[in-house]
Amino acid sequence: MEIKNYDDLGSMEMDTLREVGSIGTGNAATALSGLLNRRVRITMPEVRIMEYNEAIDWIGGPENVTAGVLVRIGGDIGGIMLSVLPLEFVNMVLECMLDNKVEEFEHLDELQRSALVEVGNIMISTFINALSGLSGVTMELTVPSLTVDMQGAILAVPMAEYGGQTDYLMTIGGNFTCDDYELPCRLLLSPEIRGLNYLLRKLGVTNG
């Protein structure tokens, strides 16, 4: 029997998604290391299914301003993927790529914003490519977009698109370690339910 909501996922499905999340985020850390020319690792990622408000609290609270790089997914699976970049992570990126940093998000100039889009896109596309390679599922990505807003507003995007299907979100979180300094970073993968069922079948997971 196919799942109808994220909260229908059982232990076997969650274990499979955790393994996929670990491989995907590991590949994202490797790609980020090459871009920044720094040693970048990822702690063991958490894959969690959470309600909207719980997910917002998990990434730092609804009123905290952050940067988000959003990519829409097409092909065999529809959905979106969001990279949430806190200010300390942003400044690490800017120092490595442009030798500067900002005190507040509103101080970002066009070149700095382009650098963040590039980093977010590399992490997301590397993750998706790993997922596609593991499952044999074709996944196409749109051009990434950068938004700077309160986290509650940024996270409202997946809920607006897929909230009619479920009140839950799939979150993949972990801390990137750059030169032994730990930085939080959150990835949010929100596939449509039909696509999630297809992905699980391709990964060899049966439902029911």
Side-chain angles (χ1 to χ4, degrees), residues 71-82 124 128 131 138-142 162 188-192:
V71 172
R72 285 176 169 79
I73 304 169
D76 292 334
I77 295 177
I80 67 170
M81 192 159 189
L82 176 68
I124 290 172
I128 292 297
L131 178 56
T138 300
M139 304 175 77
E140 302 166 352
L141 303 179
T142 63
Y162 300 109
L188 186 145
L189 175 63
S190 186
E192 60 182 8

Side-chain angles (χ1 to χ4, degrees), residues 29 32-34 36-41 176-181:
L32 189 60
S33 180
L36 302 179
N37 197 27
R38 296 281 187 90
R39 186 168 61 92
V40 178
R41 295 178 294 107
F176 284 90
T177 302
C178 180
D179 293 342
D180 298 322
Y181 182 63

